């Protein structure tokens, strides 16, 4: 199988992760009840005394009309009416102020709710970009994002394992308040519910650093464990070059069938050893055999240490699923080597996983970390079916890192990739295979050629077929000022068409009203059929 040289462009910037803190305002307090008017307080007593005096005088004298207290009765009625109106007016004013404060605070919480939701959306977008769903890996293979992570990146050898809840990146800081019984109850309850609901964001990608563990064990349901392991290997292979990451598989028996897809990964091919069919696949039935194959890469590596800086050489991931592990291997005896991680699905590494690694357990559709006190579950595990993993591996299989970058002689390109790379053609014109390049094409690919790269590194294609056949043609217009690149675009289009279509299937008529400024003469011999 022919290989395609892949040249990495500068890494695309991920969506910005939110941060900072939001200090929430305190809810309003219950209004204090101020002392009422003295008249309101003594008025009932005065009225009772006056009535009793009037009744007693009447019984004593027998003449109620000459009672002087009768003259005070109308006055008392007027004062009582005024007092009641004054008290009722003041109570209504306090209630109206409390309702207004409550409305203002609830409106404020509504604004903060929108801000928290925006922060959660930004956080989700940033994490989904850095750790996409494993089911979408096939679309990243062969795009600009393929193999984007380099050894110095913070997310190098970081892999997503599940979806779960995480704290909001923008921290919500609750206010300092007085005693709870002095706070308005409705707004206080609304504040508590707001903080509880928006401090945690559900269903976010959760990732771990493979570089940070000498061994990672996955126990539990076999189907789910292998699905997660496939997802992890596919992610690492999609985002890391074969020069930065090597993958080996130790398996035998029925489990071997679940790892046949890995043979397509360029990361599984040995960097230097070859056999009758090409590079040796680093797949064996025992860990000892893998150590023999990787003897040169493992030589002089120190013991594993989480605090040690990344060393030289590629990161090595060794998957152990049913293969033979005796315990006498160098990796086991040394309790881990720097830059080497064992992914164990069979529980055959002894205490290495518990002492210097991470133990993951999958039960009832949940994944968690096993510790001294049991398993702490934190999400739903990712999974990738065998067919999906094989699709990713086959998409990656023809690519190899460009020779200049692989040997460290050149920095990543600061311009678009070449047209030959987009067309899948060799850089050397003597290696151009006419029969292969001009092979019959499906209807969809006929008269369809790449002309550049899009915003996210994906090939941008132009299809000049008529719309009835699924194309964009048959006519088109290219507009631009002098020097904007119209001629370069037309040259790119014509070269792409003649490199991928025979002259029996495509004829060109080239007309230049500028008197040959575009220099078409070099290809005029190709405009007529053979």
């Amino acid at each position: 199988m022919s290989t395609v040289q892949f040249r990495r462009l500068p890494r695309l910037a991920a969506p910005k992760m939110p941060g900072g803190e939001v200090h929430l305002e305190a809810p309003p307090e219950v209004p204090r009840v101020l002392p009422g008017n003295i008249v309101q307080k003594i008025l009932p007593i005065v009225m009772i005394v006056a009535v009793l005096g009037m009744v007693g005088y009447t019984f004593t004298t027998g003449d109620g009309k000459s009672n002087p207290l009768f003259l005070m009765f109308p006055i008392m009625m007027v004062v009582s009416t005024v007092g009641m109106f004054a008290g009722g007016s003041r109570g209504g004013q306090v209630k109206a102020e409390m309702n207004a404060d409550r409305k203002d605070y609830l409106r404020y919480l509504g604004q903060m709710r929108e801000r928290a939701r925006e922060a959660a959306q930004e956080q989700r977008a940033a994490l989904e970009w850095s750790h996409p769903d494993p089911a979408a890996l096939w679309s990243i293979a062969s795009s600009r994002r393929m193999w984007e992570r380099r050894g110095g990146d913070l997310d190098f050898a970081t892999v997503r394992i599940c979806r779960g809840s995480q704290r909001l990146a923008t921290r919500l800081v609750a206010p300092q308040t007085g005693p709870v019984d002095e706070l308005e109850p409705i707004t206080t309850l609304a504040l508590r519910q707001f903080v509880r609901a928006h401090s945690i964001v559900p269903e976010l990608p959760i990732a771990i650093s493979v570089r940070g563990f000498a061994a990672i064990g996955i126990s539990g349901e076999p189907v789910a464990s292998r699905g997660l392991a496939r997802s992890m290997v596919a992610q690492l292979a999609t985002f890391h070059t074969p020069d930065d990451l090597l993958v080996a598989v130790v398996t035998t028996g029925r489990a071997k069938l679940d790892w046949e897809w890995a043979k397509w990964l360029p990361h599984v091919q040995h960097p230097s050893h070859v056999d009758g069919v090409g590079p040796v696949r680093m797949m064996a039935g025992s860990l000892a055999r893998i150590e023999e194959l990787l003897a040169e890469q493992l030589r002089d590596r120190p013991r594993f240490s989480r605090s040690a800086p990344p060393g030289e050489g590629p990161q090595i991931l060794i998957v152990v699923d049913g293969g033979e592990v005796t315990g006498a291997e160098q990796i086991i005896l040394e309790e881990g080597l720097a830059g080497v991680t064992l992914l164990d699905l069979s529980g055959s590494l002894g205490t290495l996983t518990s002492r210097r690694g991470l133990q993951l357990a999958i039960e009832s559709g949940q994944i968690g970390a096993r510790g001294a006190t049991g398993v702490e579950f934190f999400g739903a595990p990712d999974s990738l079916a065998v067919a999906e993993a094989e699709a990713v591996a086959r998409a990656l299989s023809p690519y190899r890192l460009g020779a200049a970058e692989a040997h460290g002689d050149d920095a990543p390109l600061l311009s678009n990739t070449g047209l030959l790379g987009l067309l899948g053609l060799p850089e050397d014109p003597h290696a151009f295979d006419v029969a292969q390049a001009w092979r019959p094409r499906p209807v969809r690919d006929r008269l369809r050629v790449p002309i550049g790269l899009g915003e996210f590194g994906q090939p941008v294609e132009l299809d000049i077929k008529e719309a009835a056949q699924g194309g964009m043609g048959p006519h088109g217009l290219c507009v631009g000022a002098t020097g904007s690149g119209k001629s370069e675009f037309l040259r790119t289009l014509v070269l792409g068409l003649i490199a991928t279509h025979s002259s029996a299937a495509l004829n060109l008529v080239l007309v230049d009203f500028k008197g040959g400024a575009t220099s078409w003469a070099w290809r005029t011999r190709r405009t007529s059929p053979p």
Side-chain angles (χ1 to χ4, degrees), residues 265-338:
L265 290 173
H267 308 71
V268 175
Q269 299 181 9
H270 197 280
S272 56
H273 293 184
V274 296
D275 55 18
V277 294
V280 174
R281 266 63 173 182
M282 294 183 290
M283 304 179 69
S286 66
L287 181 58
R289 174 56 180 162
I290 294 297
E291 283 193 346
E292 291 178 9
L293 291 174
L294 294 174
E296 183 179 350
Q297 285 73 25
L298 297 178
R299 186 181 299 117
D300 299 330
R301 293 205 179 205
R303 294 182 63 183
F304 171 82
S305 175
R306 286 193 177 94
S307 59
E312 298 182 358
Q315 177 73 29
I316 299 176
L317 178 71
I318 303 176
V319 181
V320 180
D321 187 5
E324 179 185 2
V325 179
T326 63
E329 295 84 1
Q330 177 190 3
I331 300 175
I332 305 298
L333 295 177
E334 295 286 348
E335 293 192 330
L337 296 177

Side-chain angles (χ1 to χ4, degrees), residues 79-379:
V79 173
S80 176
T81 303
V82 173
M84 286 188 295
F85 272 107
S89 175
R90 185 180 179 282
Q93 181 180 1
V94 170
K95 184 177 181 180
E97 291 177 356
M98 186 173 61
N99 289 336
D101 291 342
R102 183 186 299 124
K103 291 179 180 179
D104 290 342
Y105 192 78
L106 294 178
R107 188 180 300 112
Y108 162 75
L109 285 184
Q111 297 172 353
M112 293 297 101
R113 184 175 294 108
E114 292 299 322
R115 183 174 175 181
R117 286 174 177 171
E118 291 177 2
Q121 291 174 358
E122 293 175 1
Q123 183 175 355
R124 185 178 301 278
L127 291 176
E128 291 282 2
W129 172 272
S130 300
H131 308 291
D133 193 310
L137 291 175
W138 66 268
S139 63
I140 299 177
S142 76
S143 73
R144 178 174 174 177
R145 293 198 62 195
M146 184 178 78
W147 298 348
E148 66 178 4
R149 298 179 186 174
R150 297 169 171 85
D153 293 341
L154 295 177
D155 58 354
F156 181 83
T158 298
V159 61
R160 162 179 161 165
I161 60 171
C162 68
R163 284 183 176 273
S165 299
Q166 297 187 42
R167 287 193 173 276
L168 184 67
T170 301
R171 182 166 169 261
L172 301 178
V173 181
Q176 296 292 333
T177 62
V180 178
D181 55 356
E182 295 182 2
L183 300 177
E184 200 281 320
I186 296 179
T187 53
T188 302
L189 179 61
L191 174 63
R192 290 179 178 176
Q193 293 176 342
F194 169 79
V195 174
R196 187 180 301 113
H198 295 282
S199 293
I200 302 297
V201 184
E203 296 295 318
L204 289 180
I206 296 178
I208 62 174
S209 174
V210 172
R211 182 187 282 178
F213 302 99
I216 299 175
I218 305 177
S219 62
E221 305 163 4
V223 174
S225 299
R226 290 194 176 102
L228 174 59
R230 284 191 293 267
S231 170
M232 296 171 65
V233 173
Q235 290 178 68
L236 291 170
T238 301
F239 288 110
H240 303 80
T241 72
D243 297 83
D244 294 331
L245 172 73
L246 295 178
V247 178
V249 181
V250 179
T251 184
T252 187
R254 298 183 60 182
K256 186 177 180 180
L257 299 177
D258 290 320
W259 291 99
E260 282 292 320
W261 64 272
K263 67 184 179 184
W264 296 101
L265 290 173
H267 308 71
V268 175
Q269 299 181 9
H270 197 280
S272 56
H273 293 184
V274 296
D275 55 18
V277 294
V280 174
R281 266 63 173 182
M282 294 183 290
M283 304 179 69
S286 66
L287 181 58
R289 174 56 180 162
I290 294 297
E291 283 193 346
E292 291 178 9
L293 291 174
L294 294 174
E296 183 179 350
Q297 285 73 25
L298 297 178
R299 186 181 299 117
D300 299 330
R301 293 205 179 205
R303 294 182 63 183
F304 171 82
S305 175
R306 286 193 177 94
S307 59
E312 298 182 358
Q315 177 73 29
I316 299 176
L317 178 71
I318 303 176
V319 181
V320 180
D321 187 5
E324 179 185 2
V325 179
T326 63
E329 295 84 1
Q330 177 190 3
I331 300 175
I332 305 298
L333 295 177
E334 295 286 348
E335 293 192 330
L337 296 177
V340 180
T341 301
L342 297 172
L343 183 59
D344 181 26
L345 281 72
S346 54
S348 56
L349 300 183
T351 61
L352 177 61
T353 306
S354 59
R355 289 168 55 86
R356 315 197 73 174
L358 173 66
Q359 292 180 306
L360 299 175
I362 300 178
E363 298 178 9
S364 303
Q366 293 291 309
I367 185 173
R370 187 181 301 277
T373 59
V375 180
E376 180 182 355
F377 294 99
F378 46 75

